[in-house]
Amino acid sequence: MSIEKIIFGAGCFWGVESTFCRIDGVVNTTCGYSGGDVVHPTYEMVCAGNTGHAEVVLVEYDTSAVSIDALLDVFWQSHDPTTKDRQGMDIGTQYRSAIYFFTSEQEVTSRLSRDKLQQSGHWQAPIVTEILPAAPFYPAEKYHQRYFEKRGIL
């Protein structure tokens, strides 16, 4: 078993975590904050939009059970990557579409996947997802972890 990590931002982290935690081969998901410049931000700080952080999910996966391509397919299908700093009713930089990679393979695969999707014509507008090296990740407060599951929404 070989475990790798990748960070996805696709709007409110509750839905993103709910989506990824149900995938065979994903061994752990953690809601949190990344991509900003404040050390140990709180939910209130991130929601205020002053930290530069996005709401994200750290996805840990077994590469022998699920591929990065499969995870990227789920990522692209789970949100609108053409809306800058917005997903549905959630508006602000904290809801931006983002992939924060840990390996060069993840970077290359993410960029190729984005380009293929853009060229497919599925989205008329340009994809605005940022694809950057993983920045420090700060786990969100405990009450955010498995939020939907705890409330029987899954």
Side-chain angles (χ1 to χ4, degrees), residues 95-115:
Y95 302 114
R96 66 187 176 269
S97 178
I99 300 170
Y100 300 130
F101 59 85
F102 287 91
T103 69
S104 59
E105 178 192 1
Q106 290 173 347
E107 177 184 16
V108 169
T109 305
S110 296
R111 292 184 189 285
L112 289 172
S113 176
R114 176 203 56 203
D115 296 348

Side-chain angles (χ1 to χ4, degrees), residues 2-6 59-63 103 105-106:
S2 176
I3 304 299
E4 289 193 10
K5 300 176 184 182
I6 192 163
V59 176
E60 298 172 63
Y61 61 100
D62 177 354
T63 60
T103 69
E105 178 192 1
Q106 290 173 347

Side-chain angles (χ1 to χ4, degrees), residues 79-92:
H79 76 298
D80 180 349
T82 69
T83 53
K84 184 164 175 55
D85 302 334
R86 178 181 189 149
Q87 289 301 313
M89 301 297 290
D90 296 325
I91 301 171

Side-chain angles (χ1 to χ4, degrees), residues 3-4 8 17 19-30 57-63 65-67 71 146:
I3 304 299
E4 289 193 10
F8 292 120
E17 180 189 41
T19 297
F20 281 96
C21 75
R22 292 180 280 155
I23 297 172
D24 288 337
V26 170
V27 297
N28 192 46
T29 55
T30 306
V57 175
L58 175 67
V59 176
E60 298 172 63
Y61 61 100
D62 177 354
T63 60
V66 65
S67 69
L71 295 176
R146 303 289 176 133

